[in-house]
Amino acid sequence: MTNYLVTGATGLIGRHFMREVLADPETERVWVTVRPGSRDKLDRMARDWPNRDKLTPVIGDVSEERLGLSEDVVQQLRGRVDHLVHLAALYDIEADDEANERINIAGTANTIALAAEIRAGCLHQVSSVAVAGDFAGTFTEDMFDQGQRFPTPYHRTKFESEKLVRDQHDVPWRVYRPSIVVGNSRTGEMDKIDGPYYLFPAIQKLATLPAVPFVAPDLGDTNIVPVDYVAQALHELVKRPGLDYRTFHLVNPEPQPVLAVFNAFARAAGAPTVATTIGGKFGRTLVDVVKFTEHLPGVTIARDALLERLGIPAVLLDNMNFPSVFSSAATRKELAGTGIDLPRLEDYAATLWAYWTEHLDPFRARRHRGPRGKLDGRHVIITGASSGIGRATALKVAAAGGVPLLVARRQAELEQVRKEILDAGGKAAIYPCDLTDHEAVHKMVEQMLDEHGHIDMLVNNAGRSIRRSIRLSYDRMHDYERAMAINYFAAVRLILAVLPHMTQRKFGHIVNISSIGVQGIAPRFSAYVASKAALDYFSKIAAVEMHGDGITFTTIHMPLVRTPMIRPTKIYDAFPTKSPDEAADMVMDALINRPKHIGTPTGQLINAAYNVTPGLTDAVAYQAFRVFPDSAAAGGDGKLKIGKGERHLGRAASALVRLTRGFHW
């Protein structure tokens, strides 16, 4: 019977290896080191492992002496471990020197020391073909230090950690060098983006194009193997006697052209494939031109922005292919007759692609799956949902298959809106909340996530409008504070509350209902328009910062809409306005198509006029300011009277209303 001590059991190779070891009838006991914070993760994984009674977790950390194991555990292990399998490592070509050295070098040194102390039968170091660095030519299993150079800290620290194992004489050792490890060839299971997976977002975008073969430069060769093959081969080589002080390459015996790998996944995705490669001097020149862009600041920014959008780290450009060809003759000889065969990528590429699209695609939350349209199944927060634009939008979202999460202060009115939606066969949930209350907003968002799992979109519709000239506001600072409290601070508060969730999912769309007044000069709306303008510019900046996280923003410069908010301003009885239903159509356009901006021709014209002739625009707006007086309710003289049911405006006022349809005067 055989006993094992395993580090890195929760990693991709580790958990596949654990299934093999625990299923082996010759296995008696398997101790696994696990950090305190990963104990729950190990327990979840172990539920699917066979013979769990053979498993003994021990709290430890490879970055600490003795792997952080207690004295009692060390005593328990002494003389009982036949195989110490060291799988714990940091694999990240973007990680810095400090992180790589702490895990890969110090972690290996600590493991070697423990192996000697507990008198382990053999130390099995899972290294990597990265130790070959920039070596050009055939790299055999007997080769190690060939004067190669290392392009990243990962390459260097894998070499140095393997060297530590080779140079010590206290414990017999074996070294295993996998190439790029992809998911399980049968299930597709994978836990991180690596190797060819970096190409997947680009392939997914190409899948939307006609399947016309194209030409590409020769990108050289790579080498990938599925994790189930690695785990099976590793288990077989670990337990087999007589193999100490040898190295095994767990690789594809034939180099795989990068473009052939690309084509295998492109076919799985239904994307165009590369029909012809441009090789030789011209092909290398094209690749060199792309690499040269790192020396051109303006081009570099554009290139890196594109790579980030595709989820491809810039460092991958220099590490996409292997200059080495990895010989695996000795490994294949040992595995002959065991039934452990390396499957062809073409036979399991579709399995990997399907798993990636379902579980690993960082932008999978963006994909639409509902049969009723782009909003089908989307959870959409709508503030100010008890009446007006918010209510009309909620009804339309629900009719499109979305789930509006209705927010307003008055619960009874929200209940009525929800009833309308439910009666029509839709779904909705209500959340009475004072959006000026920081704690209440965060509790509301937590409740939404608990009840619905995710939030896709947010419509910041709740607002307060104040129509009063500045000369009547000298002692009314509270007007500006109230406007900012609901129109700006409340909206930003809610945005900040949902952004962590949206950025984690790499998807979210936020619609802010602004005002046509921001596009021009709206006299008497200094409090209202300023608060909306603040939100406009917050959103512009947020859209830039959140671009890489897949969060998008739409600003709607809404014209005058006949809602309860404008009812107290009787002068607007004489103005042509949009209905809440028409305004909701603009919001639906923002949710479905997600443009940067939605407005009206009038708003665009006024904005252009101010930008081109600001002085003249000020003069014209001043005349309008004189034509439309402050209402009596605002503290003005109210000389322009609007009788009940009447629409009497002066000639100049009527002309301005027609000329600037939808504008707030």
Side-chain angles (χ1 to χ4, degrees), residues 182-190 196-197 200 224 226 265 268 345 348-358 360:
V182 295
N184 188 298
S185 64
R186 298 186 299 273
T187 66
E189 180 187 353
M190 182 69 173
Y197 290 88
F200 281 22
I224 65 175
F265 292 115
L345 175 62
Y348 66 90
T351 301
L352 300 186
W353 177 263
Y355 189 91
W356 177 84
T357 57
E358 180 68 23
L360 292 179

Side-chain angles (χ1 to χ4, degrees), residues 391-635:
R391 172 186 171 276
T393 298
L395 295 175
K396 289 179 180 288
V397 166
V403 181
L405 310 181
L406 311 175
V407 180
R409 288 176 299 167
R410 296 180 293 274
Q411 180 169 346
E413 294 181 23
L414 288 177
E415 293 278 10
Q416 180 57 40
V417 177
R418 180 172 64 175
K419 184 177 185 303
E420 291 182 63
I421 291 172
L422 297 180
D423 288 347
K427 298 178 180 179
I430 66 168
Y431 298 91
C433 182
D434 178 0
L435 295 173
T436 65
D437 184 329
H438 181 82
E439 185 176 350
V441 167
H442 280 266
K443 285 184 177 180
M444 176 186 72
V445 171
E446 289 176 3
Q447 183 181 353
M448 289 175 173
L449 292 174
D450 286 342
E451 295 176 356
H452 302 283
H454 65 273
I455 296 168
D456 297 293
M457 299 175 173
L458 161 63
V459 179
N460 276 312
N461 168 69
R464 171 190 290 272
S465 178
I466 298 174
R467 183 181 183 273
R468 180 176 283 112
S469 63
I470 294 174
R471 68 181 179 83
L472 297 177
S473 303
Y474 295 154
D475 61 348
R476 296 186 63 87
M477 185 63 194
H478 59 279
D479 282 351
Y480 296 89
E481 292 171 339
R482 288 188 296 175
M484 289 294 286
I486 188 64
N487 297 341
Y488 178 63
F489 290 124
V492 170
R493 182 178 293 111
L494 188 48
I495 291 172
L496 295 179
V498 300
L499 276 181
H501 168 72
M502 289 182 171
T503 54
Q504 184 180 28
R505 298 180 73 227
K506 293 288 185 181
F507 173 76
H509 187 62
I510 296 169
V511 179
N512 293 320
I513 309 299
S514 186
S515 167
I516 192 175
V518 177
Q519 295 177 290
I521 307 301
R524 294 185 175 82
F525 286 95
S526 59
Y528 175 68
V529 169
S531 64
K532 290 294 188 181
L535 183 59
D536 283 9
Y537 273 85
F538 170 87
S539 299
K540 287 181 179 180
I541 294 170
V544 171
E545 294 189 15
M546 300 294 159
H547 179 78
D549 292 314
I551 314 301
T552 51
F553 290 76
T554 296
T555 294
I556 301 179
H557 286 121
M558 191 69 74
L560 201 59
V561 180
R562 194 157 300 283
T563 65
M565 188 171 71
I566 73 166
R567 191 174 297 139
T569 307
K570 295 302 180 183
I571 191 174
Y572 287 149
D573 290 350
F575 279 48
T577 60
K578 281 188 177 292
S579 68
D581 201 56
E582 292 172 319
D585 286 336
M586 297 174 72
V587 181
M588 291 294 287
D589 182 17
L591 293 171
I592 293 170
N593 299 312
R594 306 201 291 273
K596 292 285 292 182
H597 170 261
I598 293 177
T600 63
T602 299
Q604 299 283 31
L605 183 63
I606 294 173
N607 184 57
Y610 185 78
N611 289 330
V612 175
T613 58
L616 178 60
T617 305
D618 278 352
V620 172
Y622 174 69
Q623 295 306 314
F625 171 65
R626 296 180 62 192
V627 167
F628 298 104
D630 284 289
S631 66

Side-chain angles (χ1 to χ4, degrees), residues 84 126 171 615:
L84 196 169
V126 180
V171 185

Side-chain angles (χ1 to χ4, degrees), residues 277-445:
T277 59
I278 304 173
K281 184 176 180 180
F282 183 62
R284 290 193 299 272
T285 299
L286 288 176
V287 175
D288 289 341
V289 167
V290 174
K291 291 183 178 180
F292 180 72
T293 59
E294 67 186 42
H295 303 292
L296 304 174
V299 178
T300 301
I301 292 174
R303 182 203 68 182
D304 290 352
L306 174 61
L307 291 176
E308 182 179 356
R309 195 65 173 170
L310 294 175
I312 300 175
V315 69
L316 191 67
L317 294 179
D318 294 321
N319 296 278
M320 184 175 293
N321 56 24
F322 287 117
S324 308
V325 174
F326 302 104
S327 170
S328 59
T331 301
R332 286 183 284 120
K333 180 180 178 180
E334 294 297 337
L335 295 178
T338 64
I340 301 173
D341 298 315
L342 180 67
R344 298 186 321 136
L345 175 62
E346 293 78 4
D347 295 333
Y348 66 90
T351 301
L352 300 186
W353 177 263
Y355 189 91
W356 177 84
T357 57
E358 180 68 23
H359 301 283
L360 292 179
D361 177 7
F363 301 110
R364 61 190 178 276
R366 297 181 183 183
R367 292 198 302 269
H368 168 254
R369 300 176 182 173
R372 288 181 288 180
K374 291 184 177 180
L375 295 184
D376 195 4
R378 295 294 194 190
H379 296 148
V380 185
I381 300 175
I382 303 172
T383 68
S386 58
S387 63
I389 300 172
R391 172 186 171 276
T393 298
L395 295 175
K396 289 179 180 288
V397 166
V403 181
L405 310 181
L406 311 175
V407 180
R409 288 176 299 167
R410 296 180 293 274
Q411 180 169 346
E413 294 181 23
L414 288 177
E415 293 278 10
Q416 180 57 40
V417 177
R418 180 172 64 175
K419 184 177 185 303
E420 291 182 63
I421 291 172
L422 297 180
D423 288 347
K427 298 178 180 179
I430 66 168
Y431 298 91
C433 182
D434 178 0
L435 295 173
T436 65
D437 184 329
H438 181 82
E439 185 176 350
V441 167
H442 280 266
K443 285 184 177 180
M444 176 186 72
V445 171

Side-chain angles (χ1 to χ4, degrees), residues 17-240:
F17 177 72
M18 289 298 297
R19 293 188 187 113
E20 298 293 327
V21 171
L22 290 171
D24 188 343
E26 293 300 314
T27 298
E28 179 178 358
R29 175 64 46 199
V30 184
W31 290 276
V32 297
T33 62
V34 58
R35 290 176 297 176
S38 298
R39 180 59 193 266
D40 290 343
K41 179 180 179 181
L42 176 66
D43 290 342
R44 289 194 301 271
M45 289 180 178
R47 293 170 191 162
D48 298 324
W49 293 349
N51 302 318
R52 283 185 294 163
D53 57 306
K54 298 180 180 181
L55 176 67
T56 302
V58 291
I59 300 300
D61 189 327
V62 296
S63 64
E64 300 177 10
E65 291 185 5
R66 283 181 153 189
L67 308 191
L69 302 181
S70 69
E71 178 62 32
D72 289 344
V73 171
V74 172
Q75 291 290 346
Q76 181 184 3
L77 297 175
R78 184 170 287 119
R80 296 184 62 191
V81 174
D82 301 297
H83 301 289
L84 196 169
V85 183
H86 183 42
L87 281 155
L90 176 64
Y91 178 59
D92 186 349
I93 59 175
E94 295 185 278
D96 58 20
D97 282 296
E98 191 278 331
N100 273 285
E101 289 182 5
R102 185 181 71 254
I103 303 300
N104 293 343
I105 297 178
T108 298
N110 292 331
T111 303
I112 292 171
L114 178 69
E117 183 175 356
I118 64 174
R119 301 191 295 275
C122 185
L123 171 60
H124 301 268
Q125 172 76 359
V126 180
S127 183
S128 166
V129 295
V131 301
D134 66 353
F135 181 85
T138 300
F139 200 84
T140 70
E141 292 156 301
D142 294 329
M143 295 170 65
F144 180 56
D145 190 346
Q146 304 297 313
Q148 63 268 42
R149 294 178 299 177
F150 306 105
T152 70
Y154 171 74
H155 289 74
R156 178 181 61 80
T157 55
K158 292 305 287 185
F159 175 88
E160 293 182 6
S161 60
E162 183 175 323
K163 188 174 188 301
L164 290 175
V165 173
R166 290 171 167 273
D167 288 348
Q168 60 85 32
H169 303 287
D170 296 321
V171 185
W173 56 264
R174 301 179 194 180
V175 168
Y176 311 87
R177 297 176 184 155
S179 58
I180 297 174
V181 180
V182 295
N184 188 298
S185 64
R186 298 186 299 273
T187 66
E189 180 187 353
M190 182 69 173
D191 60 1
K192 64 176 289 187
I193 302 302
D194 183 31
Y197 290 88
Y198 284 121
L199 301 175
F200 281 22
I203 293 173
Q204 190 176 65
K205 292 181 184 300
L206 288 172
T208 63
L209 302 177
V212 178
F214 61 96
V215 178
D218 186 351
L219 298 177
D221 297 326
T222 187
N223 197 297
I224 65 175
V225 286
V227 66
D228 47 315
Y229 167 77
V230 173
Q232 290 169 10
L234 179 61
H235 174 233
E236 180 65 29
L237 295 169
V238 164
K239 71 177 184 177
R240 181 170 296 188

